[in-house]
Amino acid sequence: MSSTASIATNFIAPSQRGSVIRFVTSYTLPLLVAAVFAVAATSTPDFATFANIRAILINTSIVGIIAVAMTAITISGNFFSLGIASSTVLAGIVFLAVSGLTGSALAGLGAAVVLSVALGILQGLIVGAGLNPVITTLAVGSVTYGLVAITTKGAVVTAGSVDVAWLATWNLLEIPLPVYIFVLFTAVAWFLTEHTLIGRNTHLLGANRATARNSGISPQATTIWAFIAFGVGLGVAGALNASQLHQMQANDLAGLTMDVIAAVLVGGAAVSGGEGSPTRSALGALLIVALGNIMLLHGLDNGWRVFLVGGIVVVLVVALHVLRKVSTR
Amino acid sequence: MNATREFFPKYALQIVVLVLVVGIMATVSPSFRGEAALFSSLERLIPLGVIAAGLAVTMIAGEFDLSVASMAAFAGAIAVQLGGLGLIASILIATVVGVLLGSLQGWVIARLGISSLVFTVGTLILLRGATWLATGGVPVTLTDYKLSDALTVRIWVFTPLSLTTIAVLAVLGIFLSRTRWGREVSSIGGARQEAVASGVKLRSRLVLAFAISGGCGALAGALSSFRGGSATPDGLANMLLLALAAVLIGGVSLSGGRGDMVNVAFGIAITAVLAAGMSSIGVKAFVTELFTGVLLLVVILLEFVIARVVAHKAVVRRRQPHLAVT
Amino acid sequence: STGSSAAPGAPAASQGKGTGTTDGGGALLKVFMPSTSNVYLAAASQSIKDEAKALNYTVNIVENNWDQTEQDQQVQEWLATGERAAAVLMWPAGAAAATNSIRLLSAQAPVIQFNNLVTPEASKYVTAYAGVSDTGIGKEAGANALAAVKKLKAEGVKFHGPDGKPNVVEIRFTAGYAAGDDREKAFAEATPGAFNMLAVEPTPTVDAQGGFKAASQVIPRFLGQGIDIVYAHSNDVANGVVQALEQNGLKPGKDVILITGTSSGDMSNLRGGKIWSATLQSPVIEGALVVRTAAQYIATGQVQSGDVTIESSAAKPELKVEAPHAATYMMNPQVTAENNASFDIWGLSFDKLMGK
Amino acid sequence: MTGSTPLRLKASGIFKSYGAVNALSDVHFELRAGEVMALLGENGAGKSTIVKVISGLVSPDKGSIEIDGTPANISSVSLSQAAGIAVVQQEFSTVGTMTVAQNLVLGQQGAPWWWSPRKLNDNAVAILERVGLAGLNPSTPVEELSVAEMQLLEIARVLARDAKVIIFDEPTAALSDAEIVRVLDAVKRLASEGRSVVYVTHRLGEVFEIADRVTVFRNGKSEAPLEVKELDVETIVAKMIGRELGHLYPGKSSAVGEIVLETRELRIPELRSETNLTLRRGEILGLTGQLGSGTAELMEALAGVGEIVSGEVLVDGQTLNTRGRQNGISAGVAYCSADRKKDGIFARVPIRRNLSSPWLHRLSAAGFVSARQEVDETNRFAVHFAIDVKRMNSNVGTLSGGNQQKVALGKWLGINPRVLLVEEPTRGVDIGARADIYAQLRRLSDSGVGVIVSSSDTNEILGLSDTIATYFRGQQTSIRPADEWTESALVREVMHREDANHV
Ligand SMILES: Nc1ncnc2c1ncn2[C@@H]1O[C@H](COP(=O)(O)OP(=O)(O)OP(=O)(O)O)[C@@H](O)[C@H]1O
Ligand SMILES: Nc1ncnc2c1ncn2[C@@H]1O[C@H](COP(=O)(O)OP(=O)(O)OP(=O)(O)O)[C@@H](O)[C@H]1O
Ligand SMILES: [Mg+2]
Ligand SMILES: [Mg+2]
């Protein structure tokens, strides 16, 4: 074989249609979010006010941080966690308790993150050994909830006289810290998934577990890293949530698990793994909150809001699925 | 016959766990013994047992119907509001609605080839919203509470509710293992390609599986709402995880293909005894949740270990080339 | 006086001879209530146990996870055991949906309902009610709001509504939650025409999280019109509202008056003056009250018609052998930053009253 | 069988492509009533694909099918079954968790709704007897059967379906002689009952024993059927191979150096005796054998992903830790598995990221991947393997099989391989890309990398290797320099030694 160049022309160009659709798949969500905001701004009174947009961002930030963090688990091919609510509550309570003891909200934040990461590592070890992630996180979630409820006896936990609120209230340009943390967290998550060894391996593991193993990527270690990332997100989100209200109790955040899963799915992550992006999950969370806000401004009652959000989730996941199918054909 | 020999290894873990749970409960709680214990455990079957049975059918078929608890709440709201038509008629109508909505879900999932896990996360929210709309956001009640009395009549340790559950489990068990369509539904779980190559019509069996889960969810919701005489827009929300736990404790594989209705029945029994026993001791609700979580962890860990051993044995066996050939 | 819900009359069948003593003699009080993973319920549950012990009753408490279906199931199970109880103390998980269970229980033992007012449908099955009056709380909150407006007007504060009426946003309990309906209605009735009501927004959950979620989206909407008063159905919910107000640049206690119902949850916002006033709702008193009402009924076999609201006495009243009223309501005095430290009801400080 | 009676089955102008691979192009196939038609051809020639088309498992891109002279719609398995076609697929189509008896009736159109367990068992016993599995308990789950039993069960199931056309796709690949006799008897009986049989096999002896006619497939094209009576082994082998070798393969080894890889008393479960191989620099060692001969497991063991019972593997004289791929990778052992899609490439990931996947850690400092270095290095390897650098950001799944295989191979360049283990290097790869891949393998070998190729394609092994080791049913049967083999001798050696000796 003297000329390799001639063989290179054997290469099959992906069809034009394929690339158009790929473009659409990756930009569907940003475009959709932009469209929703544009339409709402013109048609919904009070939507396009600074205060309302800020409210949307604040309400997105906690769910968004967790959705971004959970994207690591989903991308790595380990579905999602069913124990989000109780782990976040645990993080929040640890944050308050440690802040109260040490007098420093930063110490509390550190403790919350460390504990969440430890819980993440534990689950990563179990899941990495080959046990099903859905059952594992469900079971660990139940146990965590039970332990938190027993330990706190159902009481509202606070940080006492220690000021923890600044974490949630400190603001720049009238936008409070959690929103910046959310944006920063998303950016860091994006950078880590795209530009680090672990991020890349997480993607590859989810894309094809067997190939990953044959390529020397350890499923165990990678899974543990994904759960560590998840733990960091839970820790931060739990602490922010607790500082926002300076309090936390065992029963809090009941609907959080479903909100996060919905955000990740609307963000277009493939449940089978290998596909998904932290930025799109963040947009997914934003879209859901924004739609809820618009419906609220239009005076729709709770039933209609739940119903329409459900309908939108169904339509979006179906649309993303169809697009993905067409583009890989 | 060697039927017993086959029965035990397959269900051994669940039997051991069940015996342990019963033993511990009876020891810890003096009031949890004999007929009363049996009765209260059996009463737990509605709605848990029927919802779990529906969920199990889709899981055995290699899919997930996460919307099953929302379906129960929705059907409960319908049944209670149709209470004027009489007990049987309103429950039947609600169940038929569940079957139809389930079939529709199954059809969309089969048609698009979308992951049912993803799709039913959406319909879980959608049906919950539908329940809010159907109830107008407030609890709805039967106009005549006496209607529910027929469901609480006690026949030894049974009530029409527990008997219905047992009947549903039995019918589904027989359906899945003995009838053609039922076996085809089971076959698409673990070995979908092989089943299709054998001539199984994938789409129609998927529709069937989701029709069953929709119907089960609806039946459970209608029955339990009738028993309580009311339905609430946010009711039965924690049933999904409990039913999932029951099915998983029963040993049905999350990846499909493993487990049958006997497994599921054991899983339901274990969960029901645990819940009824805990409640009779007066244990707090969150302690029950803690124990369910621990039990779930223990069972999957044990199953993981057992599966490893079995797989190893199977490899060893397969390496012995010619077994039955005479 | 709180005539919003039908005063329950005791079922004729149970009108009879009592034991003649408030000593329980070890008899069983069966309690059905939602999960004590919430601090209010935990405190109420503890108070029930303490009071029962003092009166020589045995208690057995069955908790559900805020799920009427589950509670129905537990009722069925208990009925099936055939166990005898001197009375059943019932906190329905969902009052409007619990009628059937109450009906079935009433055939077995007198039912003393607490925390959720008796619905008209259930009234013929409930022997007596004891505990919080959501109507009373709504009324007290209304009175507190009017008092606050009066005081501020005197200080020369101008309100934003038409004709100088204060603009009010109400953050109410979850849609469909009966306690929320009563608090909303009673507040409106106590403040006829005094306020310009901008919105009544239900929370997704009845805690600070829920309060924040609802308020953070509603408040921006009315920033332009100016919000003078926020009425939140509980102090816990109001804690979330405080955060939402601050995030929108409003100073609770200065720019906005925050009037709240139940004095539940973390009290630091109240003590710090961000919350104008709350309304005492003591789980300790509620728990004791329901046991006492049961004991009185068991002792006399009688119920007096009509209702009564007990006084905020410094000493715990002696329990007399006399028929309880069809409804006995707890006191709901105002709680403010100034007065909370000096509370002394039944010999209990504010914290003690709240079960801490 | 005169020309006046219509053909039982006639497929004309069938096309089927998978992406860029033309599995079938303008295939014509016919079958008379009561005949046994053998289907022959090399691996990947398209035999299984035409079988899948006829069984309704795969819809052709183009073409028409007639049954008994009338056009037939057999676009799904159930329609095909209804048209009287029954198939034993090459891959198993039994459901492991279900019992033998249940599998026998699974998916059978028109079977009763309900069988009592006893009836189901009786039915099973009767069917099993026909393939000599009388001793098998019908309530055994299929996953507990041996491979041979599973294969016989597949056959039994088809026998039970009163079909006009019965297709067997390599039914005897996993069977022993005694079992093969039963299958062949069953086939003869079916033909004598007037049914038509299509029989796909690599075992030429069987063809002469049972077939009436032969259709040879080559590179997705069919030849006109031939009467078996008029054929001999050499003619058939020639027809199957049927292409010039000169253009395809590079030259042989120029110089052989020191030992790079050595196995010492290596024992793996699938091989019955110890393996002692040596591989030298500059040498391409070819391992060949049929499916199930043990070569695949040997390669996996060397790569660190298979099971090893005892013994050791040395790379450059150093003992290799064979537990886990990572150790192999750091010792410079590259491994290209047989099933590209399953565990060789990341189909939904861009080419560049596929290429860098095994050695990304080398490009990372403190965990951060240097994008520039990644671009530089992957581009270099892409050029090396004739992968279009402009396409580096397209997903590998969109490429032709040949280009996919180049990616699967090319990704190993980055680990500085000492040893390259390649299974089935050109499975499903078109002819142009094949030549390219062979040239690359030789070039790597010349540059000092030890290369082991395992393939069931004897032509490829012969053309590419310097040394050839043959395997048959879990046993190494020979190891000799390539130039001591002729292709037909090698085909006979690996296909069926005993048979080959007979003919
Ligand atoms: N959902 C259903 N409920 C009841 N009967 C049905 C249902 N669907 C189909 N049938 C009836 O069952 C019979 C078989 O249906 P269908 O052809 O779909 O199944 P099949 O597996 O292909 O059966 P066969 O192999 O006999 O054609 C038909 O008579 C059909 O009308
Ligand atoms: N699902 C598929 N996707 C992509 N390519 C495929 C697929 N199935 C088959 N092919 C390709 O089509 C060609 C024909 O394959 P086929 O299985 O028909 O060969 P065969 O003659 O049966 O080979 P063997 O003797 O190895 O069984 C091969 O190049 C194969 O790789
Ligand atoms: Mg083939
Ligand atoms: Mg049919």
Side-chain angles (χ1 to χ4, degrees):
Chain A
M1 290 278 88
S2 49
S3 150
T4 50
S6 70
I7 287 155
T9 56
N10 286 347
F11 220 87
I12 300 304
S15 70
Q16 205 57 36
R17 194 186 57 155
S19 60
V20 168
I21 289 166
R22 229 190 335 278
F23 176 85
V24 176
T25 345
S26 17
Y27 292 97
T28 308
L29 202 56
L31 292 175
L32 192 66
V33 171
V36 164
F37 272 77
V39 170
T42 53
S43 69
T44 310
D46 304 319
F47 179 83
T49 64
F50 175 75
N52 190 57
I53 301 291
R54 179 177 58 190
I56 291 175
L57 289 175
I58 293 170
N59 272 295
T60 309
S61 56
I62 308 268
V63 174
I65 289 172
I66 303 176
V68 165
M70 197 175 73
T71 309
I73 293 186
T74 311
I75 290 177
S76 74
N78 288 306
F79 301 100
F80 32 65
S81 165
L82 283 183
I84 292 173
S86 51
S87 311
T88 311
V89 168
L90 175 68
I93 284 178
V94 168
F95 164 77
L96 292 168
V98 174
S99 302
L101 281 177
T102 60
S104 151
L106 286 180
L109 177 65
V113 171
V114 167
L115 188 83
S116 293
V117 166
L119 203 61
I121 292 177
L122 174 74
Q123 295 178 79
L125 278 169
I126 301 177
V127 173
L131 271 84
N132 187 288
V134 175
I135 313 184
T136 306
T137 53
L138 171 64
V140 171
S142 297
V143 174
T144 309
Y145 169 73
L147 291 179
V148 169
I150 289 171
T151 320
T152 61
K153 300 195 182 66
V156 173
V157 178
T158 67
S161 58
V162 177
D163 174 27
V164 293
W166 64 266
L167 259 186
T169 49
W170 182 89
N171 67 71
L172 180 68
L173 304 173
E174 290 187 52
I175 295 197
L177 190 56
V179 175
Y180 293 107
I181 295 183
F182 166 48
V183 172
L184 184 74
F185 192 84
T186 309
V188 169
W190 171 83
F191 182 81
L192 292 179
T193 27
E194 289 296 308
H195 295 287
T196 65
L197 185 59
I198 291 154
R200 297 277 293 270
N201 284 352
T202 308
H203 246 116
L204 293 173
L205 178 68
N208 187 331
R209 203 179 175 85
T211 306
R213 195 197 323 253
N214 276 347
S215 308
I217 296 166
S218 159
Q220 284 85 357
T222 311
T223 299
I224 290 172
W225 277 113
F227 272 90
I228 288 177
F230 179 56
V232 171
L234 282 184
V236 172
L240 287 181
N241 194 290
S243 76
Q244 211 162 46
L245 303 166
H246 345 136
Q247 59 166 353
M248 202 94 198
Q249 52 189 354
N251 281 350
D252 278 344
L253 304 177
L256 183 66
T257 303
M258 268 304 148
D259 289 349
V260 171
I261 291 175
V264 173
L265 293 181
V266 168
V271 255
S272 54
E275 228 172 292
S277 105
T279 33
R280 274 190 280 140
S281 295
L283 284 175
L286 180 63
L287 182 63
I288 291 176
V289 173
L291 289 169
N293 177 272
I294 293 165
M295 289 188 261
L296 182 139
L297 293 180
H298 279 287
L300 290 179
D301 67 23
N302 184 57
W304 278 107
R305 281 186 236 161
V306 178
F307 185 77
L308 291 177
V309 165
I312 287 157
V313 171
V314 168
V315 169
L316 272 178
V317 296
V318 166
L320 284 168
H321 169 82
V322 171
L323 278 173
R324 185 178 297 146
K325 219 161 99 173
V326 177
S327 69
T328 53
R329 197 157 45 212
Chain B
M1 270 282 297
N2 50 14
T4 44
R5 226 183 44 222
E6 278 161 27
F7 183 80
F8 280 107
K10 196 166 166 195
Y11 306 115
L13 179 62
Q14 275 72 29
I15 292 174
V16 170
V17 173
L18 181 59
V19 169
L20 277 179
V21 170
V22 170
I24 293 171
M25 287 302 148
T27 320
V28 178
S29 165
S31 68
F32 194 71
R33 284 185 200 151
E35 266 183 39
L38 195 53
F39 174 82
S40 58
S41 303
L42 282 167
E43 274 307 283
R44 292 271 160 170
L45 295 183
I46 288 286
L48 171 68
V50 178
I51 290 182
L55 184 63
V57 170
T58 51
M59 283 172 64
I60 287 171
E63 301 287 333
F64 269 106
D65 185 358
L66 295 184
S67 71
V68 68
S70 300
M71 182 75 84
F74 182 61
I78 293 180
V80 165
Q81 297 193 69
L82 293 179
L85 301 177
L87 177 78
I88 307 278
S90 51
I91 288 177
L92 268 185
I93 292 173
T95 308
V96 168
V97 168
V99 169
L100 292 177
L101 289 176
S103 312
L104 181 64
Q105 282 207 68
W107 183 80
V108 174
I109 288 164
R111 189 65 239 242
L112 295 173
I114 193 172
S115 150
S116 53
L117 194 66
V118 174
F119 188 80
T120 55
V121 165
T123 52
L124 167 146
I125 306 171
L126 188 70
L127 279 169
R128 180 60 65 185
T131 312
W132 275 86
L133 297 180
T135 57
V138 293
V140 289
T141 56
L142 282 178
T143 40
D144 176 10
Y145 288 110
K146 301 251 162 27
L147 270 178
S148 70
D149 287 352
L151 293 178
T152 53
V153 175
R154 189 168 160 180
I155 311 142
W156 187 46
V157 294
F158 299 105
T159 62
L161 292 170
S162 52
L163 289 173
T164 308
T165 315
I166 293 167
V168 166
L169 285 170
V171 167
L172 285 179
I174 291 170
F175 171 74
L176 287 180
S177 65
R178 298 260 195 273
T179 68
R180 206 180 107 207
W181 279 18
R183 278 198 298 263
E184 292 184 358
V185 166
S186 319
S187 73
I188 60 175
R192 189 162 286 184
Q193 277 172 356
E194 288 82 350
V196 171
S198 306
V200 173
K201 293 175 181 168
L202 179 61
R203 280 190 193 169
S204 68
R205 298 311 167 251
L206 277 177
V207 172
L208 184 59
F210 280 90
I212 292 173
S213 70
C216 281
L219 178 65
L223 285 174
S224 79
S225 299
F226 249 91
R227 170 175 56 196
S230 65
T232 52
D234 54 355
L236 297 170
N238 44 22
M239 263 303 144
L240 173 64
L241 292 190
L242 203 57
L244 184 61
V247 176
L248 295 172
I249 288 173
V252 174
S253 155
L254 269 177
S255 47
R258 281 223 184 245
D260 54 33
M261 275 295 150
V262 181
N263 284 114
V264 176
F266 274 119
I268 294 168
I270 292 167
T271 323
V273 170
L274 189 73
M278 292 276 188
S279 148
S280 88
I281 306 170
V283 161
K284 299 182 188 315
F286 46 83
V287 180
T288 310
E289 182 155 351
L290 174 83
F291 274 93
T292 313
V294 170
L295 191 64
L296 194 53
L297 269 183
V298 167
V299 169
I300 60 163
L301 279 169
L302 281 176
E303 228 147 47
F304 180 72
V305 173
I306 292 172
R308 284 266 159 121
V309 173
V310 169
H312 184 74
K313 266 189 170 152
V315 170
V316 170
R317 244 185 112 167
R318 202 162 302 169
R319 281 192 201 118
Q320 305 168 341
H322 316 299
L323 261 181
V325 183
T326 41
Chain C
S1 57
T2 54
S4 75
S5 68
S14 60
Q15 204 84 314
K17 251 171 69 82
T19 57
T21 166
T22 54
D23 184 292
L28 175 68
L29 296 178
K30 186 79 184 177
V31 186
F32 293 95
M33 63 189 288
S35 171
T36 54
S37 61
N38 170 299
V39 68
Y40 186 91
L41 285 97
S45 156
Q46 190 55 49
S47 170
I48 288 173
K49 286 182 197 155
D50 294 345
E51 190 69 22
K53 198 167 167 216
L55 297 175
N56 196 19
Y57 277 98
T58 319
V59 271
N60 180 297
I61 302 179
V62 180
E63 289 180 16
N64 66 77
N65 222 336
W66 289 100
D67 184 345
Q68 190 54 51
T69 321
E70 194 184 349
Q71 193 174 43
D72 294 341
Q73 197 155 11
Q74 291 164 337
V75 166
Q76 303 276 344
E77 279 167 19
W78 178 69
L79 289 175
T81 62
E83 191 178 33
R84 304 297 308 182
V88 172
L89 313 185
M90 177 79 172
W91 173 335
T99 310
N100 203 29
S101 284
I102 295 170
R103 179 178 71 94
L104 296 169
L105 284 171
S106 68
Q108 187 87 354
V111 176
I112 314 294
Q113 185 166 325
F114 64 118
N115 193 277
N116 275 242
L117 285 187
V118 181
T119 61
E121 300 84 52
S123 62
K124 56 178 181 276
Y125 309 115
V126 175
T127 302
Y129 175 84
V132 61
S133 161
D134 292 309
T135 305
I137 287 182
K139 213 172 117 187
E140 174 71 22
N144 294 344
L146 290 177
V149 167
K150 200 171 156 199
K151 183 166 176 246
L152 291 170
K153 266 199 178 139
E155 291 170 9
V157 174
K158 293 265 174 290
F159 295 109
H160 293 86
D163 312 328
K165 273 189 196 173
N167 279 339
V168 179
V169 169
E170 180 170 343
I171 305 294
R172 59 153 288 164
F173 283 161
T174 320
Y177 187 29
D181 298 342
D182 292 337
R183 288 175 193 211
E184 183 184 337
K185 199 165 154 224
F187 183 86
E189 282 171 5
T191 60
F195 301 136
N196 176 38
M197 197 55 95
L198 295 173
V200 180
E201 178 65 21
T203 60
T205 49
V206 290
D207 51 18
Q209 304 283 347
F212 177 72
K213 261 197 182 159
S216 68
Q217 304 218 41
V218 165
I219 287 166
R221 195 172 151 197
F222 297 108
L223 275 182
Q225 302 182 38
I227 301 168
D228 299 308
I229 296 180
V230 176
Y231 165 40
H233 280 197
S234 76
N235 181 72
D236 206 11
V237 169
N239 282 331
V241 176
V242 166
Q243 188 66 20
L245 287 171
E246 287 178 345
Q247 269 173 354
N248 283 287
L250 296 172
K251 291 199 180 63
K254 296 216 168 60
D255 309 336
V256 177
I257 301 303
L258 195 45
I259 301 287
T260 83
T262 318
S263 53
S264 57
D266 181 38
M267 303 307 293
S268 48
N269 280 326
L270 183 104
R271 291 193 176 119
K274 288 179 178 172
I275 292 175
W276 183 276
S277 73
T279 307
L280 180 73
Q281 183 186 338
S282 161
V284 177
I285 291 187
E286 182 160 38
L289 205 57
V290 64
V291 173
R292 287 173 152 236
T293 304
Q296 283 183 323
Y297 176 75
I298 295 163
T300 60
Q302 306 280 337
V303 172
Q304 302 181 43
S305 61
D307 51 48
V308 61
T309 301
I310 57 168
E311 300 296 321
S312 308
S313 56
K316 190 171 175 181
E318 189 87 2
L319 186 63
K320 301 199 193 89
V321 179
E322 61 177 35
H325 282 80
T328 307
Y329 298 119
M330 296 151 60
M331 63 297 253
N332 348 83
Q334 189 187 34
V335 186
T336 61
E338 292 76 39
N339 79 357
N340 77 82
S342 56
F343 257 95
D344 182 18
I345 298 178
W346 290 14
L348 301 169
S349 68
F350 178 76
D351 279 350
K352 284 263 159 52
L353 282 166
M354 294 313 295
K356 279 183 204 134
Chain D
M1 311 297 124
T2 59
S4 60
T5 55
L7 291 165
R8 169 106 307 162
L9 181 112
K10 184 168 171 228
S12 8
I14 309 277
F15 287 81
K16 174 73 198 176
S17 59
Y18 293 104
V21 179
N22 293 320
L24 299 175
S25 43
D26 197 21
V27 162
H28 293 263
F29 180 72
E30 60 168 64
L31 189 61
R32 297 173 187 148
E35 80 167 336
V36 178
M37 170 72 87
L39 220 58
L40 299 177
E42 286 191 296
N43 293 115
K47 306 180 295 292
S48 295
T49 307
I50 186 74
V51 167
K52 284 179 189 161
V53 166
I54 296 172
S55 61
L57 208 53
V58 155
S59 351
D61 303 333
K62 220 162 93 182
S64 64
I65 289 172
E66 284 176 19
I67 294 175
D68 293 329
T70 49
N73 172 8
I74 51 169
S75 58
S76 79
V77 176
S78 43
L79 286 172
S80 165
Q81 278 189 30
I85 297 166
V87 189
V88 177
Q89 301 285 358
Q90 184 171 10
E91 278 101 35
F92 292 130
S93 62
T94 45
V95 176
T97 49
M98 299 177 80
T99 67
V100 168
Q102 291 172 344
N103 266 286
L104 282 171
V105 293
L106 183 69
Q108 192 176 334
Q109 305 295 304
W113 276 102
W114 164 274
W115 299 76
S116 72
R118 172 182 296 266
K119 214 177 127 217
L120 193 68
N121 270 15
D122 291 351
N123 169 64
V125 168
I127 299 172
L128 290 172
E129 207 155 350
R130 293 172 68 177
V131 290
L133 285 176
L136 188 63
N137 179 354
S139 42
T140 317
V142 164
E143 62 195 352
E144 290 180 13
L145 302 185
S146 69
V147 176
E149 286 167 329
M150 279 193 209
Q151 185 66 64
L152 289 170
L153 178 65
E154 295 269 349
I155 295 166
R157 180 160 72 165
V158 161
L159 298 185
R161 291 183 184 174
D162 186 32
K164 287 191 284 196
V165 175
I166 300 173
I167 309 179
F168 295 91
D169 195 351
E170 302 198 35
T172 54
L175 300 188
S176 73
D177 294 344
E179 294 150 357
I180 290 172
V181 170
R182 284 183 202 282
V183 175
L184 298 184
D185 284 348
V187 171
K188 284 182 210 159
R189 195 162 59 233
L190 290 169
S192 71
E193 288 168 4
R195 303 173 206 270
S196 308
V197 176
V198 179
Y199 195 89
V200 184
T201 187
H202 287 291
R203 297 185 171 175
L204 301 181
E206 296 174 0
V207 174
F208 290 97
E209 199 174 334
I210 56 166
D212 301 309
R213 294 197 295 168
V214 173
T215 303
V216 174
F217 275 67
R218 204 169 57 239
N219 282 331
K221 297 201 169 63
S222 58
E223 303 246 313
L226 302 164
E227 295 288 334
V228 168
K229 288 192 290 275
E230 294 158 14
L231 293 170
D232 58 25
V233 178
E234 299 305 328
T235 329
I236 293 181
V237 169
K239 282 207 168 282
M240 281 165 60
I241 301 167
R243 80 172 99 75
E244 296 170 69
L245 296 185
H247 290 288
L248 200 51
Y249 297 107
K252 297 285 175 177
S253 164
S254 41
V256 173
E258 72 277 24
I259 294 174
V260 280
L261 180 131
E262 195 179 351
T263 66
R264 289 196 185 144
E265 295 167 3
L266 186 70
R267 260 192 174 283
I268 63 168
E270 285 78 6
L271 284 181
R272 274 180 266 173
S273 50
E274 287 168 359
T275 304
N276 291 295
L277 287 173
T278 53
L279 173 69
R280 289 171 180 281
R281 237 176 255 300
E283 175 190 39
I284 297 183
L285 172 62
L287 312 181
T288 184
Q290 286 293 93
L291 189 80
S293 63
T295 50
E297 290 79 8
L298 179 57
M299 294 290 268
E300 283 169 11
L302 295 177
V305 291
E307 201 179 328
I308 289 184
V309 180
S310 62
E312 57 177 350
V313 180
L314 290 93
V315 174
D316 283 334
Q318 305 262 302
T319 304
L320 178 72
N321 181 345
T322 47
R323 293 190 52 190
R325 261 311 274 148
Q326 286 102 323
N327 303 313
I329 289 174
S330 26
V333 180
Y335 168 59
C336 252
S337 69
D339 192 338
R340 210 168 39 231
K341 270 236 165 72
K342 188 172 132 245
D343 54 11
I345 55 163
F346 301 99
R348 289 181 294 141
V349 171
I351 297 172
R352 185 179 319 284
R353 295 187 169 196
N354 265 275
L355 286 176
S356 62
S357 59
W359 39 274
L360 206 56
H361 54 271
R362 212 164 47 66
L363 303 179
S364 330
F368 296 101
V369 177
S370 156
R372 174 182 299 262
Q373 213 182 335
E374 185 184 17
V375 170
D376 289 351
E377 294 211 21
T378 49
N379 281 359
R380 200 150 52 79
F381 300 136
V383 170
H384 200 91
F385 256 94
I387 296 167
D388 187 351
V389 176
K390 288 199 286 294
R391 299 260 175 243
M392 294 298 270
N393 295 324
S394 314
N395 287 357
V396 170
T398 62
L399 306 183
S400 69
N403 282 306
Q404 290 184 8
Q405 185 68 0
K406 288 188 211 162
V407 173
L409 273 169
K411 72 179 190 179
W412 293 110
L413 293 181
I415 69 162
N416 287 323
R418 319 287 301 141
V419 177
L420 175 59
L421 308 169
V422 195
E423 288 185 59
E424 306 291 348
T426 61
R427 181 178 279 179
V429 169
D430 58 74
I431 196 107
R434 253 190 216 200
D436 201 39
I437 286 166
Y438 294 144
Q440 292 303 329
L441 289 176
R442 175 54 71 194
R443 203 197 284 175
L444 280 169
S445 167
D446 287 345
S447 72
V449 179
V451 177
I452 305 183
V453 173
S454 103
S455 172
S456 47
D457 182 341
T458 45
N459 183 293
E460 170 173 285
I461 285 292
L462 199 59
L464 189 62
S465 320
D466 301 308
T467 310
I468 297 175
T470 58
Y471 290 80
F472 187 76
R473 298 223 180 121
Q475 194 105 43
Q476 195 183 79
T477 50
S478 72
I479 176 157
R480 277 191 249 165
D483 50 22
E484 291 180 19
W485 287 104
T486 64
E487 178 158 23
S488 53
L490 190 58
V491 169
R492 274 180 292 197
E493 173 76 18
V494 299
M495 280 193 176
H496 201 178
R497 302 184 85 211
E498 294 92 313
D499 259 24
N501 295 340
H502 293 169
V503 192

